[in-house]
Amino acid sequence: MKKIIIALLLLSLCSSSLFAQGASIINGEWDRQNPGEIKLFKINRGELNQIASTKVTEDKRFTFAFLPEKEGYYVIGLAASGPRNRYAFYFKPGDQLNVKMTADYSYELVGNTNTPENEEIARWQKFKFPIEEKSVYYLATKNRSTYVDFFPLFEEKLEALKEYPVTKTGNAVFNDSFEKYKKCDILFLAMNFIMTPRTAHPQGEDYPDYYRNINATDFSKDNFLMDYPEGINLLSNTYMASVRLNESLSNEDKTARMSDPAAFLFGGPDDNQILNPELKGELTLKYARANKSAVGFSDYKKKYEKYLVTESQKKRWNAFEASLNKNAVGTDAIDFKFPDINGKEIALSDFKGKVVYIDVWATWCGPCKKEFPHLKELEAGYHGNNDIVFMGVNIDISKDIQKWKNFLDKEQLPGIQIFAGDNANKELMSLYSIKSIPRFILVGKDGKLLFADAPRPSSAEIKKILDDAIKK
C-alpha cells in the first residue's frame, strides 16, 4: 500500500512539473478493438520517431502528457510505418487535445478545450475521409475500392476543394503550413491508392488529370515534406508515378528510371525536378539504402555523396556505410531442412563446400516475382559451376503446397526449390530475423554467413559479390 501511495505522489509531482513547463495534454478514447498501447510520434526529417507510449485502459481510454519539442505536427497512432490508425495533430506548449477515435477509422474532437488549429484539422479530416477510407482502409472495411469508384469520388473532392475555405486561425505559422499540409494529404491519398493492391487496375486513359499533371517539382520547392509523415517516401513515390504516367517516355526509359531513380534525379535528365537541396540530400540517403554491400555503396558514394548538405545527412550517411560491413556476418549459418517438390528433405548443410545464394519467397509476393527474371539470368551465368548453388525457400502456408508446385512448373524457377510451409516462421524466418520478403541470404563455402541480407538479383553489385565468394 505504501508503494502505491509513493508511486502516486511521484506521478503527481511529475505531472505538476510538466504543467509548470507548459506540457501538452492528450486525453483520448479508442472506440475500436483495444490495441493495448497507443504511441505518440514526432515528425523528424519526414520520418516518424516515437517519443512516448501509453496503455489503453479497459474502458478504452488513453492519456499523454508531453512537452512539444517544437510547435508543429505530431502523430498519434499504433505504428510508425503504414498509414492506417495514424492521425496528425498540431501542438504548441500547453495545448490540450480531447479526441475520440471512432469505430469507422476516423475521429471526432470532444469538449470545448481543443485548440483552433486542431479544430481546423478535424474539419479537414471530415472532408477528406471518404477518399481516405477507400485509399487507406480498403482492407479494414467492407469497402474494397477500385479505381472505378475511387477516381470519380476523388475528382468530386478535387472540385469541392476549390471552394474549401483557406485556413484562418489566429496562428499565422499554422495557417501557412496547413495549406501545404492539405495538398500533401491529397497527394498522399492519390499515391497510396495506386500503389496498393486492387482487384482492378486502371490503364493510362482511366487516370484523372490530377495524376497526369503530378510533378515532384511542385512539392520540392521548399522543405515542408520534412514535416509531413513519411514525406520523403511521398516525394519518391510522386516521382515514380510521374514516370509511370509520362506518355512521352518509352517503356525502356520508364524501367530505367524506376530501377535506378538516383541516376536520373541526381545529375541526370530529371535533376531539375527536386528543387530543394535538403530534400535532394534526403532522397540521396533513401536510395543509398538499396545498396546491400560496401562494394555497391562505394560506386554510389563516388557519384552522389556531394548531394548531402546537412551535418545530419553526412552523419547518417557514415553510419549507413559502417552498417554495411556488419551485414557480412561471418558467423555459422543456422541450418534448416525442408522438403523439395518430390518430398525429399534438403538441408542447407548438405551444400557445405559450395557458395549458397538463398531466395526466401512466396507465390503471393509481388516483389518476389519481380526478381525472378533477374534470378534466372543470374543463375544462367553460373550454369555448370559446381562451386555455387541457387536455393529457393518458399514460405506459403502448408495447405497451399500444390499452388507452390504449380507455380514452379509454370515459372521454371532455377536451382533447388524447397517448401517451408507452416514451419517457416519457427525454423527459418525467426532464426534469420526476416521481417519481409523477398530476402536473399548468402552463405560461403565454409558454411558461414557472408550476408544475412544479401543484394537482390536485380542489383548491380550481386555479380561481383558472388564471384568474390566463389574465389574464396
Side-chain angles (χ1 to χ4, degrees), residues 336-354:
F336 54 78
K337 180 189 291 186
F338 302 113
D340 67 7
I341 197 168
N342 297 312
K344 180 183 176 182
E345 293 286 327
I346 305 290
L348 173 61
S349 56
D350 293 342
F351 303 99
K352 193 165 184 179
K354 300 177 185 289

Side-chain angles (χ1 to χ4, degrees), residues 38-196:
I38 304 290
K39 298 173 183 177
L40 179 66
F41 304 91
K42 66 179 181 180
I43 304 170
N44 186 26
R45 301 184 298 266
E47 297 181 349
L48 295 187
N49 297 153
Q50 183 177 327
I51 57 176
S53 65
T54 188
K55 296 292 184 182
V56 180
T57 63
E58 291 184 3
D59 61 352
K60 299 184 178 181
R61 303 282 179 174
F62 64 92
T63 301
F64 288 102
F66 75 107
L67 295 171
E69 190 174 288
K70 63 177 182 178
E71 176 179 339
Y73 299 95
Y74 293 79
V75 173
I76 300 170
L78 302 186
S81 60
R84 292 189 294 274
N85 295 303
R86 197 175 73 187
Y87 308 92
F89 297 96
Y90 193 89
F91 287 99
K92 309 180 300 298
D95 283 351
Q96 292 189 44
L97 174 68
N98 290 280
V99 61
K100 178 180 179 180
M101 305 306 183
T102 53
D104 64 354
Y105 298 98
S106 188
Y107 69 81
E108 58 189 35
L109 299 188
V110 180
N112 56 9
T113 60
N114 294 292
T115 63
E117 293 93 339
N118 286 326
E119 293 281 2
E120 186 65 35
I121 292 174
R123 278 190 286 273
W124 172 248
Q125 171 68 16
K126 186 175 181 179
F127 174 86
K128 73 173 182 175
F129 186 69
I131 54 174
E132 183 177 59
E133 183 182 26
K134 292 178 181 291
S135 174
V136 173
Y137 294 100
Y138 61 98
L139 293 177
T141 69
K142 295 179 180 180
N143 186 5
R144 301 298 176 92
S145 178
T146 71
Y147 76 93
V148 176
D149 60 275
F150 178 78
F151 284 169
L153 178 61
F154 185 72
E155 289 188 290
E156 285 180 22
K157 285 295 182 181
L158 288 178
E159 191 63 29
L161 191 58
K162 295 176 182 178
E163 304 298 324
Y164 195 90
V166 174
T167 306
K168 291 182 179 179
T169 68
N171 185 338
V173 173
F174 170 78
N175 294 346
D176 179 63
S177 72
F178 196 54
E179 289 302 305
K180 297 174 183 178
Y181 199 100
K182 289 185 289 188
K183 292 178 181 178
C184 291
D185 260 358
I186 293 294
L187 177 67
F188 171 78
L189 294 174
M191 290 296 97
N192 192 72
F193 184 86
I194 64 172
M195 292 187 171
T196 46

Side-chain angles (χ1 to χ4, degrees), residues 445 450 467-472:
K445 294 179 181 179
L450 294 178
D467 288 343
D468 288 347
I470 290 170
K471 291 174 185 177
K472 292 180 180 178

Side-chain angles (χ1 to χ4, degrees), residues 279-293:
L279 289 181
K280 186 169 283 189
E282 292 297 326
L283 279 178
T284 304
L285 279 165
K286 174 181 171 61
Y287 295 140
R289 298 187 185 108
N291 295 281
K292 298 290 186 180
S293 72

Side-chain angles (χ1 to χ4, degrees), residues 203-209 211-214 240-254 257:
Q203 302 304 310
E205 63 275 10
D206 297 320
Y207 286 92
D209 289 342
Y211 284 93
R212 302 176 196 279
N213 297 326
I214 283 174
M240 294 297 191
S242 69
V243 168
R244 189 197 307 180
L245 296 172
N246 189 336
E247 296 177 357
S248 68
L249 295 176
S250 68
N251 288 334
E252 291 76 14
D253 287 337
K254 291 179 181 181
R257 281 169 165 79

